[in-house]
Amino acid sequence: MKILKGSYKDKNAVILENEELRLTLVPESGGKMASLVYQPDDKELLWQNPEEKFQAVEYGQSFAEGEAAGFDDMFPNINECFYPDNPWKGTALPDHGEVWSLPWESRIRKDCVELEVSGIRLPYRLKKTLSLRDSMVRIAYRLENPTPFPMTFVYATHPLFNVDQGDFLRIPAGMNRVVNAVPSKMLPAYGKEYAYPETLAGGEALIDLSTVNPKNDSYLKYYFSDANPEGWCSLRREKAGLEIRMDYSQEVLPFLGIWINEGGWGDQYNLALEPASAPMDDPVAARSWGHESFIDVNSVLEWQIDIDIFRI
Protein backbone atom coordinates (compact mmCIF):
# COMPACT_ATOMS: atom_id res chain seq x y z
CA MET A 1 0.00 0.00 0.00
CA LYS A 2 1.15 3.53 -0.79
CA ILE A 3 0.13 6.70 1.03
CA LEU A 4 0.67 9.92 -0.90
CA LYS A 5 -0.08 13.59 -0.62
CA GLY A 6 -2.09 14.86 -3.55
CA SER A 7 -5.14 16.90 -4.42
CA TYR A 8 -8.87 16.53 -4.88
CA LYS A 9 -10.34 19.25 -7.07
CA ASP A 10 -8.79 22.41 -5.53
CA LYS A 11 -8.19 20.89 -2.05
CA ASN A 12 -5.17 19.21 -0.49
CA ALA A 13 -5.71 15.49 -0.17
CA VAL A 14 -4.18 12.31 1.23
CA ILE A 15 -4.38 9.24 -1.01
CA LEU A 16 -4.18 5.60 0.11
CA GLU A 17 -3.65 3.18 -2.75
CA ASN A 18 -3.07 -0.49 -3.42
CA GLU A 19 -3.79 -2.78 -6.38
CA GLU A 20 -7.48 -3.00 -5.48
CA LEU A 21 -8.46 0.42 -4.15
CA ARG A 22 -7.60 4.12 -4.34
CA LEU A 23 -9.03 6.14 -1.45
CA THR A 24 -8.85 9.96 -1.38
CA LEU A 25 -9.26 11.94 1.85
CA VAL A 26 -9.75 15.69 2.30
CA PRO A 27 -8.66 16.30 5.92
CA GLU A 28 -9.31 20.05 5.90
CA SER A 29 -12.99 19.54 5.06
CA GLY A 30 -14.49 17.12 7.56
CA GLY A 31 -11.88 14.44 7.06
CA LYS A 32 -14.10 13.48 4.12
CA MET A 33 -13.52 10.35 2.09
CA ALA A 34 -14.03 12.17 -1.18
CA SER A 35 -13.38 9.27 -3.55
CA LEU A 36 -13.14 5.48 -3.43
CA VAL A 37 -12.14 3.82 -6.69
CA TYR A 38 -12.22 0.08 -7.36
CA GLN A 39 -9.00 -0.12 -9.36
CA PRO A 40 -9.49 -3.33 -11.42
CA ASP A 41 -12.47 -1.65 -13.14
CA ASP A 42 -11.37 1.98 -12.59
CA LYS A 43 -14.83 2.46 -11.09
CA GLU A 44 -15.74 5.32 -8.72
CA LEU A 45 -17.93 3.97 -5.95
CA LEU A 46 -18.86 7.24 -4.23
CA TRP A 47 -21.15 9.88 -5.69
CA GLN A 48 -19.23 12.91 -6.96
CA ASN A 49 -20.40 16.51 -6.94
CA PRO A 50 -20.12 17.65 -10.60
CA GLU A 51 -18.88 21.15 -9.69
CA GLU A 52 -15.27 21.77 -10.71
CA LYS A 53 -14.36 23.39 -7.39
CA PHE A 54 -14.87 21.79 -4.00
CA GLN A 55 -17.97 23.26 -2.35
CA ALA A 56 -16.50 24.21 1.02
CA VAL A 57 -18.64 25.64 3.80
CA GLU A 58 -18.17 27.49 7.02
CA TYR A 59 -18.83 25.68 10.27
CA GLY A 60 -22.54 25.47 11.08
CA GLN A 61 -23.84 25.95 7.55
CA SER A 62 -26.33 23.60 5.91
CA PHE A 63 -25.03 20.29 4.55
CA ALA A 64 -26.74 21.12 1.25
CA GLU A 65 -24.46 24.15 0.82
CA GLY A 66 -21.33 21.99 0.90
CA GLU A 67 -19.90 19.30 -1.36
CA ALA A 68 -22.69 16.90 -0.27
CA ALA A 69 -20.85 13.96 -1.81
CA GLY A 70 -18.47 11.16 -0.85
CA PHE A 71 -18.39 9.71 2.67
CA ASP A 72 -18.81 11.92 5.76
CA ASP A 73 -19.10 11.11 9.45
CA MET A 74 -22.27 12.35 11.16
CA PHE A 75 -21.58 13.33 14.78
CA PRO A 76 -22.93 14.20 17.36
CA ASN A 77 -26.24 14.47 15.46
CA ILE A 78 -27.74 14.55 11.96
CA ASN A 79 -30.86 16.70 12.24
CA GLU A 80 -30.44 20.15 13.73
CA CYS A 81 -31.47 20.04 17.37
CA PHE A 82 -30.82 21.43 20.84
CA TYR A 83 -28.75 19.39 23.25
CA PRO A 84 -31.13 18.12 25.97
CA ASP A 85 -29.03 17.87 29.15
CA ASN A 86 -26.95 19.99 31.48
CA PRO A 87 -24.29 21.34 31.43
CA TRP A 88 -24.79 21.87 27.66
CA LYS A 89 -28.59 22.00 27.73
CA GLY A 90 -29.99 24.21 24.97
CA THR A 91 -26.80 24.18 22.90
CA ALA A 92 -27.71 24.26 19.20
CA LEU A 93 -26.21 21.40 17.21
CA PRO A 94 -25.86 22.20 13.49
CA ASP A 95 -27.22 20.43 10.42
CA HIS A 96 -25.64 16.99 9.90
CA GLY A 97 -23.57 17.51 13.04
CA GLU A 98 -20.26 19.25 13.63
CA VAL A 99 -17.45 17.13 12.29
CA TRP A 100 -18.31 17.06 8.57
CA SER A 101 -17.59 20.80 8.26
CA LEU A 102 -14.55 21.02 10.55
CA PRO A 103 -10.88 20.68 9.58
CA TRP A 104 -9.34 17.48 10.94
CA GLU A 105 -5.72 17.09 11.96
CA SER A 106 -4.00 14.45 9.84
CA ARG A 107 -0.95 12.25 10.37
CA ILE A 108 0.48 9.87 7.80
CA ARG A 109 1.89 6.68 9.30
CA LYS A 110 3.65 3.81 7.57
CA ASP A 111 0.49 1.79 6.95
CA CYS A 112 -2.40 4.10 7.85
CA VAL A 113 -3.70 7.67 8.05
CA GLU A 114 -4.86 9.12 11.36
CA LEU A 115 -7.42 11.93 11.43
CA GLU A 116 -8.57 13.73 14.56
CA VAL A 117 -10.98 16.54 15.44
CA SER A 118 -12.27 18.30 18.55
CA GLY A 119 -15.85 19.37 19.13
CA ILE A 120 -16.85 23.03 19.08
CA ARG A 121 -20.15 23.08 20.96
CA LEU A 122 -19.56 19.86 22.90
CA PRO A 123 -16.13 19.02 24.39
CA TYR A 124 -15.35 15.66 22.75
CA ARG A 125 -12.40 14.36 20.74
CA LEU A 126 -13.03 12.07 17.75
CA LYS A 127 -10.28 10.13 15.99
CA LYS A 128 -10.38 7.78 13.03
CA THR A 129 -7.61 5.65 11.54
CA LEU A 130 -7.91 4.45 7.94
CA SER A 131 -6.04 1.64 6.22
CA LEU A 132 -6.41 -0.65 3.20
CA ARG A 133 -6.29 -4.43 3.22
CA ASP A 134 -6.64 -5.77 -0.32
CA SER A 135 -10.19 -4.78 -1.38
CA MET A 136 -11.22 -3.63 2.10
CA VAL A 137 -11.15 -0.23 3.79
CA ARG A 138 -10.80 -0.45 7.57
CA ILE A 139 -11.81 2.56 9.68
CA ALA A 140 -11.14 2.43 13.42
CA TYR A 141 -12.81 5.12 15.56
CA ARG A 142 -12.01 6.43 19.03
CA LEU A 143 -14.32 8.86 20.84
CA GLU A 144 -13.16 10.58 24.03
CA ASN A 145 -15.36 12.33 26.59
CA PRO A 146 -12.92 14.13 28.93
CA THR A 147 -15.66 15.66 31.09
CA PRO A 148 -17.32 14.58 34.36
CA PHE A 149 -20.71 14.49 32.57
CA PRO A 150 -22.22 11.76 30.38
CA MET A 151 -22.66 12.87 26.77
CA THR A 152 -25.59 11.77 24.61
CA PHE A 153 -25.01 11.62 20.85
CA VAL A 154 -25.86 10.03 17.54
CA TYR A 155 -23.07 8.75 15.31
CA ALA A 156 -23.87 7.51 11.80
CA THR A 157 -21.92 6.85 8.63
CA HIS A 158 -22.92 8.85 5.55
CA PRO A 159 -21.39 7.21 2.44
CA LEU A 160 -23.20 8.27 -0.73
CA PHE A 161 -22.66 5.30 -3.03
CA ASN A 162 -23.32 5.54 -6.75
CA VAL A 163 -26.18 3.32 -7.90
CA ASP A 164 -27.85 1.94 -11.00
CA GLN A 165 -31.49 0.99 -11.46
CA GLY A 166 -32.09 -2.40 -9.87
CA ASP A 167 -29.31 -2.23 -7.29
CA PHE A 168 -30.58 -3.59 -4.00
CA LEU A 169 -29.87 -3.98 -0.29
CA ARG A 170 -28.83 -7.15 1.48
CA ILE A 171 -29.32 -7.37 5.24
CA PRO A 172 -29.50 -10.12 7.88
CA ALA A 173 -32.64 -12.24 7.95
CA GLY A 174 -35.46 -11.16 10.22
CA MET A 175 -35.14 -7.41 9.73
CA ASN A 176 -38.60 -6.88 8.28
CA ARG A 177 -39.93 -3.61 9.74
CA VAL A 178 -38.74 -0.03 9.23
CA VAL A 179 -39.59 3.37 10.74
CA ASN A 180 -39.81 6.41 8.49
CA ALA A 181 -37.30 9.09 9.53
CA VAL A 182 -37.92 11.73 6.82
CA PRO A 183 -41.36 12.58 5.35
CA SER A 184 -41.18 12.12 1.60
CA LYS A 185 -43.23 11.37 -1.48
CA MET A 186 -42.73 7.62 -1.06
CA LEU A 187 -43.08 7.51 2.75
CA PRO A 188 -45.13 10.54 3.78
CA ALA A 189 -45.71 9.80 7.48
CA TYR A 190 -42.83 10.56 9.87
CA GLY A 191 -42.41 7.94 12.58
CA LYS A 192 -44.76 5.43 10.95
CA GLU A 193 -43.68 1.81 10.85
CA TYR A 194 -43.81 -0.03 7.53
CA ALA A 195 -43.26 -3.61 6.42
CA TYR A 196 -39.92 -4.33 4.70
CA PRO A 197 -39.00 -4.90 1.94
CA GLU A 198 -42.40 -4.46 0.29
CA THR A 199 -45.00 -2.12 1.74
CA LEU A 200 -48.10 -0.12 0.91
CA ALA A 201 -47.43 3.58 1.54
CA GLY A 202 -49.70 6.36 0.32
CA GLY A 203 -51.24 4.34 -2.48
CA GLU A 204 -52.47 0.96 -3.67
CA ALA A 205 -49.25 -0.21 -5.32
CA LEU A 206 -46.59 -2.11 -3.41
CA ILE A 207 -43.33 -0.21 -2.90
CA ASP A 208 -40.06 -2.15 -2.70
CA LEU A 209 -37.95 -0.34 -0.09
CA SER A 210 -34.88 -2.47 -0.79
CA THR A 211 -34.38 -1.74 -4.49
CA VAL A 212 -33.28 1.35 -6.42
CA ASN A 213 -35.84 2.60 -8.96
CA PRO A 214 -35.13 4.51 -12.18
CA LYS A 215 -34.17 8.12 -11.50
CA ASN A 216 -37.22 10.21 -10.59
CA ASP A 217 -38.17 12.98 -8.16
CA SER A 218 -38.25 10.98 -4.91
CA TYR A 219 -36.09 10.04 -1.94
CA LEU A 220 -36.58 8.25 1.36
CA LYS A 221 -34.87 7.74 4.73
CA TYR A 222 -35.76 4.98 7.15
CA TYR A 223 -34.32 3.03 10.07
CA PHE A 224 -34.90 -0.64 10.69
CA SER A 225 -37.14 -1.04 13.72
CA ASP A 226 -34.97 -3.67 15.33
CA ALA A 227 -31.25 -3.67 16.04
CA ASN A 228 -29.09 -5.38 13.44
CA PRO A 229 -28.39 -8.85 14.90
CA GLU A 230 -25.22 -9.49 12.88
CA GLY A 231 -23.56 -6.11 12.30
CA TRP A 232 -23.40 -6.10 8.51
CA CYS A 233 -25.25 -4.76 5.46
CA SER A 234 -24.44 -4.52 1.77
CA LEU A 235 -25.34 -2.85 -1.50
CA ARG A 236 -25.60 -5.30 -4.36
CA ARG A 237 -24.73 -3.61 -7.67
CA GLU A 238 -25.78 -6.09 -10.34
CA LYS A 239 -25.04 -3.96 -13.40
CA ALA A 240 -21.63 -2.99 -12.04
CA GLY A 241 -20.88 -6.59 -11.08
CA LEU A 242 -19.88 -5.56 -7.54
CA GLU A 243 -21.09 -5.81 -3.99
CA ILE A 244 -20.20 -3.23 -1.32
CA ARG A 245 -20.41 -4.76 2.15
CA MET A 246 -20.07 -2.99 5.48
CA ASP A 247 -19.20 -4.93 8.64
CA TYR A 248 -19.19 -2.94 11.84
CA SER A 249 -19.17 -3.00 15.65
CA GLN A 250 -22.82 -3.81 16.28
CA GLU A 251 -22.56 -3.25 20.04
CA VAL A 252 -21.79 0.46 19.37
CA LEU A 253 -23.74 0.80 16.10
CA PRO A 254 -26.80 -1.41 16.64
CA PHE A 255 -29.18 0.46 14.31
CA LEU A 256 -29.19 0.69 10.53
CA GLY A 257 -30.48 3.67 8.58
CA ILE A 258 -30.92 3.74 4.80
CA TRP A 259 -31.01 6.84 2.58
CA ILE A 260 -32.11 6.26 -1.02
CA ASN A 261 -32.06 9.33 -3.26
CA GLU A 262 -33.57 8.73 -6.67
CA GLY A 263 -33.28 12.35 -7.76
CA GLY A 264 -35.60 14.14 -5.35
CA TRP A 265 -32.83 15.78 -3.28
CA GLY A 266 -30.29 17.85 -5.20
CA ASP A 267 -30.88 15.83 -8.38
CA GLN A 268 -28.56 13.17 -6.92
CA TYR A 269 -28.84 9.45 -7.60
CA ASN A 270 -27.24 7.50 -4.75
CA LEU A 271 -27.74 5.36 -1.68
CA ALA A 272 -26.24 5.56 1.81
CA LEU A 273 -25.77 2.66 4.20
CA GLU A 274 -25.90 4.29 7.64
CA PRO A 275 -25.00 2.10 10.61
CA ALA A 276 -25.83 4.27 13.61
CA SER A 277 -25.47 4.39 17.38
CA ALA A 278 -29.14 5.37 17.71
CA PRO A 279 -32.07 5.89 15.32
CA MET A 280 -34.07 8.84 14.02
CA ASP A 281 -31.17 11.26 13.34
CA ASP A 282 -30.73 13.20 16.57
CA PRO A 283 -30.20 12.50 20.30
CA VAL A 284 -33.54 14.01 21.34
CA ALA A 285 -35.52 11.91 18.87
CA ALA A 286 -33.51 8.79 19.75
CA ARG A 287 -34.34 9.29 23.42
CA SER A 288 -38.03 9.70 22.64
CA TRP A 289 -37.92 6.35 20.79
CA GLY A 290 -36.19 4.70 23.75
CA HIS A 291 -32.88 4.05 21.97
CA GLU A 292 -30.44 6.64 23.30
CA SER A 293 -26.66 6.28 22.89
CA PHE A 294 -24.17 8.05 25.13
CA ILE A 295 -20.57 8.00 26.28
CA ASP A 296 -19.96 7.88 30.01
CA VAL A 297 -17.98 10.38 32.09
CA ASN A 298 -14.23 10.56 31.48
CA SER A 299 -14.52 7.66 29.04
CA VAL A 300 -13.35 6.32 25.71
CA LEU A 301 -15.58 4.53 23.19
CA GLU A 302 -14.14 2.62 20.24
CA TRP A 303 -15.69 0.99 17.18
CA GLN A 304 -14.68 -0.25 13.75
CA ILE A 305 -16.16 -0.21 10.25
CA ASP A 306 -14.91 -2.37 7.36
CA ILE A 307 -15.97 -1.64 3.79
CA ASP A 308 -15.29 -4.58 1.50
CA ILE A 309 -15.72 -4.53 -2.28
CA PHE A 310 -15.91 -7.78 -4.20
CA ARG A 311 -17.05 -9.04 -7.57
CA ILE A 312 -20.34 -10.90 -7.98
Side-chain angles (χ1 to χ4, degrees), residues 194-225:
Y194 296 92
Y196 178 92
E198 292 186 330
T199 193
L200 283 171
E204 296 300 320
L206 280 174
I207 299 172
D208 187 344
L209 300 177
S210 69
T211 302
V212 179
N213 295 308
K215 191 172 182 182
N216 56 76
D217 61 351
S218 65
Y219 57 82
L220 56 88
K221 171 69 181 285
Y222 58 80
Y223 281 88
F224 285 90
S225 302

Side-chain angles (χ1 to χ4, degrees), residues 11-312:
K11 294 290 185 181
N12 293 325
V14 178
I15 301 168
L16 295 79
E17 186 172 19
N18 63 16
E19 291 185 357
E20 299 288 324
L21 300 173
R22 184 172 69 251
L23 184 161
T24 303
L25 300 168
V26 183
E28 67 186 89
S29 188
K32 178 193 287 289
M33 187 191 301
S35 171
L36 180 61
V37 174
Y38 182 64
Q39 301 242 75
D41 297 345
D42 193 28
K43 190 168 191 64
E44 175 63 66
L45 302 179
L46 293 171
W47 192 84
Q48 302 291 290
N49 189 311
E51 296 295 329
E52 184 177 345
K53 290 187 176 182
F54 192 94
Q55 304 301 294
V57 297
E58 295 182 1
Y59 170 81
Q61 285 186 295
S62 166
F63 186 77
E65 296 178 273
E67 187 75 356
F71 181 165
D72 293 287
D73 295 290
M74 302 289 96
F75 185 88
N77 58 293
I78 302 177
N79 290 341
E80 288 184 88
C81 63
F82 293 98
Y83 190 85
D85 302 323
N86 287 324
W88 310 290
K89 187 173 183 178
T91 299
L93 299 178
D95 179 42
H96 280 66
E98 291 195 309
V99 301
W100 73 272
S101 64
L102 289 173
W104 292 49
E105 302 168 18
S106 63
R107 291 177 291 275
I108 297 176
R109 305 301 190 193
K110 181 180 179 180
D111 58 356
C112 65
V113 175
E114 298 174 346
L115 299 173
E116 198 163 358
V117 66
S118 291
I120 302 298
R121 300 181 187 178
L122 299 179
Y124 57 82
R125 188 78 172 165
L126 181 62
K127 177 181 179 180
K128 61 181 177 180
T129 302
L130 297 98
S131 59
L132 302 181
R133 303 184 182 188
D134 299 322
S135 63
M136 183 182 74
V137 180
R138 171 156 291 175
I139 315 174
Y141 291 85
R142 177 184 172 90
L143 173 64
E144 298 179 16
N145 174 14
T147 78
F149 302 95
M151 188 180 297
T152 186
F153 69 90
V154 167
Y155 170 83
T157 65
H158 198 271
L160 296 173
F161 292 116
N162 285 317
V163 290
D164 296 303
Q165 177 185 349
D167 290 353
F168 63 93
L169 298 168
R170 294 182 63 245
I171 57 171
M175 299 175 67
N176 54 19
R177 305 291 295 179
V178 299
V179 178
N180 187 29
V182 176
S184 65
K185 179 180 177 181
M186 290 181 69
L187 299 181
Y190 172 81
K192 184 175 179 178
E193 190 174 62
Y194 296 92
Y196 178 92
E198 292 186 330
T199 193
L200 283 171
E204 296 300 320
L206 280 174
I207 299 172
D208 187 344
L209 300 177
S210 69
T211 302
V212 179
N213 295 308
K215 191 172 182 182
N216 56 76
D217 61 351
S218 65
Y219 57 82
L220 56 88
K221 171 69 181 285
Y222 58 80
Y223 281 88
F224 285 90
S225 302
D226 299 318
N228 189 328
E230 299 177 21
W232 68 270
C233 58
S234 72
L235 171 61
R236 182 95 167 181
R237 302 204 57 204
E238 294 282 352
K239 184 177 180 180
L242 297 173
E243 186 157 347
I244 303 169
R245 173 171 168 135
M246 298 179 71
D247 291 90
Y248 49 90
S249 305
Q250 67 188 97
E251 67 279 6
V252 179
L253 308 177
F255 290 93
L256 177 59
I258 301 294
W259 165 256
I260 303 178
N261 187 358
E262 296 171 347
W265 191 92
D267 198 38
Q268 297 185 13
Y269 194 47
N270 50 42
L271 182 150
L273 304 170
E274 300 190 17
S277 65
M280 306 308 284
D281 288 359
D282 71 69
V284 178
R287 178 177 293 179
S288 72
W289 282 83
H291 297 299
E292 182 177 10
S293 58
F294 69 95
I295 180 170
D296 209 347
V297 303
N298 298 305
S299 294
V300 169
L301 188 63
E302 295 181 324
W303 65 93
Q304 181 173 293
I305 298 171
D306 292 338
I307 306 170
D308 202 1
I309 296 92
F310 53 93
R311 291 189 187 278
I312 55 176

